[in-house]
Amino acid sequence: MSEQSTLSTLNVTVGNRTVTPAYPIVSDAFPKAEDLANDRRLESYMSREIPLESELELKKRERVLTGLRNMVLDWIVQIARKKGYSPDIQRAAGGKLYTSGSYRLGVHEPGADIDTICVTPSICEREDFFGELKETLLAHKDVTNLNSVETAKVPIITFDWEGVNIDLLFARLQQISVPDSIDIDNDQILTNVNVATEKSLNGPRVTNLIAKLVSGTPERYQGFLKVVRCVRKWAKAKGLYSNKMGYLGGVNFNIMVAMICQLYPNASPSNLLRKFFTIYTKWTWPNPVLLTKPFDAKIQGPDYHFLQVWTNPLGNREQMPIITPAYPCMNSSLSVNRKTLQVMHNELVKAHEVVEKIFAKGSGQDDDGSHWAALFEPSDFFINYQHYLTLVVVGSSPSDFQSWKGYIESKLRLLIGDLFAKLPMTKIQLWPKAFDMCCASPTSKLSVAQKTNSCTFFIGFKIDKLRMKGRDLNLEKQIQLFKDAIQQVQIEGTDLLTNYFSLKQLPPVVFEGIYEGGKKEALAKRARLRAEDPERIKRKQEEAAEEAAAAAEEEKEKEREKENEEVLGVEGNEEEDALQSTLDNIGGDEGRGKKTREEAEDERRKLMSGEVVLSEDAKDEQCLIKLGIINEVEEGEIDKRVALKVDVPGWRAMGEKKDNKRKRMKINFKSKFKVIKLTPEGRVVDIGDEDYRPSERWKGRVGGFEFKRGIRGVGYYRTGVEQKHPDLAKINMASKG
């Protein structure tokens, strides 16, 4: 098949227009023998681990949909009769029930919900949907767990019918009847509809167009379905499957896989799966994922404004735009924020590495496809973080709890974005699946009903130590702001409680079903992963190198001290006589008192041991400055540039003429100062510690520190820590000595 003929199978007709792919074909090559072998191994794994629903379950779903369709049609007639329409209008009112999402595409995963849209004539109103139809559903013997979200932009009722989960949306057309022949894919169907109806109809219209765009050949469509099943399983295993919580949902993954099928229209399923992770690992967001270029049909809504077509209105604020192909196209992943994108990108990179290793193994070594299991391993979310915040949703009754939980789920991504934006965190991740348990603090005063009707969400986070101010991270302010925002819809008996867990404090139930040995095995795996982490290994090597360098510098310092000690001696056999003569002349300078030989000997001993020797006159800073022992500094500061210069007046070799010039010598301290060091040039310096980093000039922002001149000199001081000099007590004692 030529590229031109391949391209023709990618173009489809919708209504009165032709839809073409947004991006050109990358390769139209057909599968090789090796690709077909990989397909067989992948299919072998999928048959065991990603099965389709049985025929019995499929028939059950068809029976449920038939019952729901009949109920909707009867309800429309009842509303027409109630509102006084003629029998002819009642009979012609019609109505349709459409499906969208995975069920419409034929993915048929066991236990998956069915997205349905009831399309009615203008006879029916939103109030009727949440009134008579809701009451009819509640009265049906096979319907359970019904929950309606009447405040949502898109009207929705969720319920279980014979155990099959149904999401039912409402769309009201601006016409008196909805015949069976109506073409929902025709753009003109949207004329004068309100926003809620537009969004409801968007579901089946988008799903239908995706199916058409990948149905050019039977092989392409089947390849599309297989890759979608694999990607959905991978996303659910990694905690990435939830559009309302800031990740991606079914329609997002359908569009992403469909685009890969457009780029590689003849590729085999295993190769398409490989390309999926390759392409989206390298994708430069926020470049949009598009199946077709945005099209504007110029159709007006009820307010005489044209329906809004996506044109990247938010610019780079849209983190991961995945654009629906049907008119009016829109960003289906608007809920993605910077932190959820970071989490998804990290998982895409890991998956790409795993798939490449699987393909590198070659054929014949994995006939049962067991190597593919590595791609679908459960997430290590509960061992990836040291800190976890829990959000406990409680209600006083099952119905109140379900409504409150649904509302909280739709808002949690806002809390994640706010926590990351306002607090020093390097990473934050919300696990999208709630646990049916109450992890509230033991001090929380909950009733038995509230503890029964509760669930817990977990948020893991890593602290950015460089941005920390002080030693405590306070989450209370952001959590309270979030609670204040959701309080407007809160009813009596419902609540949102928070709690904190460290990794080791997590309840054992969160590890069940993931690690065979439960929490013990999970902690062992964390230790193993940390030991094998390349970044951690590199950091340890750098720390070891720094310690080695510090040890080498300490050895050099000792050598310099030894050399300086030798400087203090007088070479030759004349040392005894020279020393005695010197001691006899100590204090001989004008204005300084004469010392006895015993006093001089005591001072010499202290000097040789490295102790600071000051005269009794050195009682304050000005006296020290006049004696030449310290340089002038600002009040209250200890300047790290101070030079300690010790005078030994009157020392000279035997027979040498006395020189009235005072000679200065430079030595090193031997006393155990914590941070004060003496350089070979005789300069006193503060080498710094965990709360102070000396620096004569600003070298850029350092997390947790501020640059200024303080009590220890110029440098970076830890924010929020009281300024104290570690050696201040010794310095004061020396000045009084």
Side-chain angles (χ1 to χ4, degrees):
M1 183 182 294
S2 65
E3 181 174 343
Q4 190 64 34
S5 58
T6 298
L7 184 61
S8 65
T9 64
L10 296 173
N11 299 333
V12 299
T13 300
V14 177
N16 56 355
R17 66 186 179 97
T18 300
V19 178
T20 60
Y23 298 115
I25 295 173
V26 174
S27 172
D28 61 350
F30 285 89
K32 299 178 181 178
E34 184 178 356
D35 297 325
L36 298 177
N38 286 327
D39 286 350
R40 288 192 294 271
R41 289 193 287 273
L42 178 60
E43 289 174 8
S44 177
Y45 174 83
M46 292 178 66
S47 64
R48 299 191 310 272
E49 304 297 336
I50 319 177
L52 294 171
E53 276 192 317
S54 64
E55 287 294 326
L56 186 62
E57 285 297 319
L58 286 176
K59 290 181 179 179
K60 178 181 177 180
R61 286 175 177 262
E62 292 174 0
R63 182 174 68 251
V64 167
L65 287 175
T66 299
L68 180 59
R69 183 178 294 108
N70 293 335
M71 179 185 288
V72 168
L73 293 177
D74 290 342
W75 164 69
I76 293 173
V77 173
Q78 291 174 11
I79 295 300
R81 184 183 305 116
K82 178 182 176 181
K83 294 184 178 181
Y85 287 93
S86 66
D88 290 340
I89 293 179
Q90 294 176 27
R91 286 191 294 271
K96 297 281 287 185
L97 185 72
Y98 292 96
T99 60
S100 65
S102 59
Y103 182 83
R104 161 64 182 84
L105 292 172
V107 175
H108 297 319
E109 292 177 337
D113 59 2
I114 303 178
D115 297 318
T116 60
I117 301 90
C118 107
V119 179
T120 74
S122 57
I123 296 171
C124 300
E125 304 280 351
R126 184 183 181 122
E127 292 75 16
D128 302 321
F129 178 74
F130 287 114
E132 283 83 350
L133 181 58
K134 176 181 174 180
E135 293 300 324
T136 303
L137 285 167
L138 284 171
H140 197 283
K141 62 182 180 64
D142 294 325
V143 173
T144 57
N145 299 326
L146 187 143
N147 179 40
S148 61
V149 186
E150 301 181 26
T151 58
K153 292 182 179 179
V154 179
I156 181 172
I157 300 176
T158 65
F159 53 91
D160 294 337
W161 187 315
E162 292 187 39
V164 178
N165 184 252
I166 304 290
D167 290 343
L168 179 62
L169 304 182
F170 173 68
R172 177 176 180 265
L173 300 184
Q174 293 300 312
Q175 50 196 59
I176 199 66
S177 67
V178 179
D180 286 339
S181 60
I182 193 170
D183 183 8
I184 196 176
D185 296 324
N186 191 313
D187 297 334
Q188 298 303 316
I189 199 77
L190 301 176
T191 303
N192 291 328
V193 300
N194 58 32
V195 175
T197 294
E198 173 201 331
K199 294 186 179 300
S200 295
L201 291 175
N202 194 50
R205 284 168 53 81
V206 167
T207 305
N208 291 346
L209 187 49
I210 291 174
K212 290 180 180 179
L213 288 169
V214 295
S215 298
T217 64
E219 295 81 9
R220 187 181 306 152
Y221 189 71
Q222 290 303 313
F224 164 78
L225 292 181
K226 290 177 182 178
V227 177
V228 166
R229 288 166 57 199
C230 289
V231 170
R232 284 164 61 95
K233 181 177 177 62
W234 165 80
K236 291 177 180 180
K238 304 302 180 182
L240 308 178
Y241 197 88
S242 179
N243 186 280
K244 61 184 174 184
M245 291 197 183
Y247 299 106
L248 300 180
V251 65
N252 307 126
F253 288 116
N254 293 342
I255 294 172
M256 293 172 74
V257 174
M259 194 188 78
I260 300 300
C261 292
Q262 289 180 329
L263 299 179
Y264 303 91
N266 299 321
S268 66
S270 61
N271 206 18
L272 285 173
L273 184 59
R274 182 184 189 182
K275 296 299 183 183
F276 177 90
F277 292 111
T278 300
I279 294 296
Y280 292 117
T281 294
K282 300 178 180 179
W283 194 265
T284 53
W285 306 104
N287 285 335
V289 171
L290 293 167
L291 296 184
T292 183
K293 293 291 179 64
F295 167 77
D296 192 350
K298 300 293 184 181
I299 293 177
Q300 290 182 335
D303 55 357
Y304 302 103
H305 287 88
F306 294 121
L307 300 184
Q308 185 177 2
V309 176
W310 180 88
T311 55
N312 197 16
L314 298 181
N316 289 339
R317 284 187 291 169
E318 294 190 13
Q319 301 294 329
M320 194 180 188
I322 301 173
I323 312 305
T324 56
Y327 171 80
C329 61
M330 62 185 70
N331 182 4
S332 63
S333 55
L334 198 58
S335 62
V336 174
N337 57 50
R338 191 152 58 98
K339 293 317 296 177
T340 53
L341 175 59
Q342 177 191 23
V343 171
M344 288 187 285
H345 177 73
N346 290 342
E347 291 295 344
L348 283 167
V349 171
K350 292 177 185 177
H352 172 63
E353 294 173 352
V354 170
V355 172
E356 290 304 311
K357 289 179 181 179
I358 293 173
F359 273 79
K361 294 181 184 297
S363 59
Q365 301 179 20
D366 182 27
D367 292 335
D368 63 350
S370 58
H371 286 149
W372 282 102
L375 177 62
F376 306 101
E377 287 184 354
S379 170
D380 288 321
F381 169 79
F382 288 103
I383 62 173
N384 278 344
Y385 300 90
Q386 184 61 39
H387 309 281
Y388 292 87
L389 175 69
T390 60
L391 302 175
V392 184
V393 182
V394 300
S396 57
S397 67
S399 59
D400 289 347
F401 166 67
Q402 289 296 336
S403 299
W404 180 236
K405 177 188 175 185
Y407 180 75
I408 294 297
E409 285 178 333
S410 67
K411 300 298 181 182
L412 280 181
R413 69 180 187 276
L414 303 179
L415 174 61
I416 299 301
D418 188 54
L419 284 175
F420 171 72
K422 304 294 176 57
L423 295 175
M425 296 179 178
T426 58
K427 189 175 181 182
I428 183 169
Q429 181 178 356
L430 166 66
W431 188 251
K433 182 180 178 181
F435 287 80
D436 294 328
M437 61 181 179
C438 182
C439 287
S441 171
T443 60
S444 301
K445 297 180 180 180
L446 297 177
S447 66
V448 175
Q450 287 177 316
K451 291 181 180 180
T452 303
N453 298 292
S454 65
C455 68
T456 301
F457 291 96
F458 286 83
I459 300 173
F461 60 92
K462 293 181 179 179
I463 297 175
D464 186 350
K465 296 180 180 179
L466 294 178
R467 293 167 55 203
M468 278 288 290
K469 294 183 178 180
R471 301 183 184 277
D472 296 326
L473 181 64
N474 192 339
L475 305 174
E476 292 182 3
K477 181 179 179 181
Q478 273 65 42
I479 293 174
Q480 188 58 50
L481 290 173
F482 179 72
K483 288 184 176 181
D484 292 343
I486 62 177
Q487 198 173 19
Q488 57 183 339
V489 298
Q490 187 175 357
I491 61 175
E492 185 178 358
T494 62
D495 204 350
L496 179 66
L497 306 174
T498 59
N499 202 0
Y500 167 79
F501 290 86
S502 67
L503 170 62
K504 293 183 179 180
Q505 294 172 334
L506 287 173
V509 67
V510 303
F511 302 100
E512 295 176 0
I514 301 177
Y515 308 98
E516 291 184 2
K519 187 173 183 177
K520 184 177 180 180
E521 181 186 331
L523 295 178
K525 182 177 181 180
R526 173 180 166 82
R528 185 171 64 254
L529 292 175
R530 283 168 60 84
E532 298 171 354
D533 183 13
E535 293 185 2
R536 181 178 172 83
I537 294 173
K538 181 180 178 181
R539 187 168 60 252
K540 289 289 185 182
Q541 292 174 342
E542 291 175 349
E543 291 174 355
E546 290 177 0
E547 292 177 0
E553 182 62 29
E554 186 175 351
E555 288 297 323
K556 291 181 181 179
E557 186 70 21
K558 291 180 180 179
E559 290 295 327
R560 287 195 291 265
E561 289 179 1
K562 186 176 180 182
E563 293 174 1
N564 289 335
E565 289 175 7
E566 295 175 356
V567 171
L568 295 176
V570 180
E571 297 181 356
N573 296 328
E574 299 175 342
E575 180 178 356
E576 289 286 337
D577 294 336
L579 182 58
Q580 292 298 327
S581 176
T582 300
L583 293 175
D584 290 340
N585 289 282
I586 285 179
D589 284 4
E590 183 179 356
R592 303 177 70 172
K594 192 79 171 180
K595 294 183 177 67
T596 65
R597 177 168 296 186
E598 289 74 14
E599 291 173 339
E601 173 62 26
D602 185 57
E603 289 194 4
R604 186 189 69 81
R605 179 184 57 75
K606 291 181 179 180
L607 177 65
M608 296 298 287
S609 66
E611 297 183 35
V612 178
V613 182
L614 299 175
S615 70
E616 293 184 1
D617 295 330
K619 299 301 183 182
D620 55 23
E621 183 179 294
Q622 293 301 318
C623 185
L624 295 176
I625 295 171
K626 290 178 180 179
L627 290 175
I629 294 179
I630 66 172
N631 289 336
E632 185 173 0
V633 296
E634 295 181 14
E635 183 177 357
E637 296 183 348
I638 297 177
D639 196 323
K640 68 175 186 177
R641 298 170 298 175
V642 167
L644 178 63
K645 301 181 180 179
V646 181
D647 287 340
V648 190
W651 283 40
R652 65 186 187 281
M654 294 296 292
E656 182 181 348
K657 292 184 178 180
K658 185 174 180 178
D659 188 354
N660 290 329
K661 282 189 175 182
R662 297 171 62 187
K663 299 180 180 179
R664 301 177 181 271
M665 303 189 68
K666 303 172 184 177
I667 65 170
N668 283 327
F669 287 124
K670 284 190 175 180
S671 58
K672 301 299 182 180
F673 288 114
K674 294 180 180 178
V675 297
I676 289 181
K677 296 290 183 181
L678 193 62
T679 68
E681 295 78 18
R683 308 282 292 182
V684 175
V685 295
D686 187 331
I687 61 173
D689 53 22
E690 62 179 4
D691 294 326
Y692 168 66
R693 302 179 185 178
S695 177
E696 293 187 0
R697 61 186 180 86
W698 189 72
K699 298 180 180 179
R701 188 178 69 85
V702 177
F705 288 81
E706 55 181 332
F707 182 77
K708 64 181 180 180
R709 175 184 288 275
I711 191 173
R712 298 175 64 178
V714 181
Y716 289 88
Y717 288 80
R718 184 176 293 278
T719 305
V721 177
E722 182 182 358
Q723 294 185 28
K724 291 183 179 180
H725 199 293
D727 294 320
L728 186 59
K730 288 189 176 182
I731 294 172
N732 290 337
M733 289 178 63
S735 65
K736 295 177 181 178

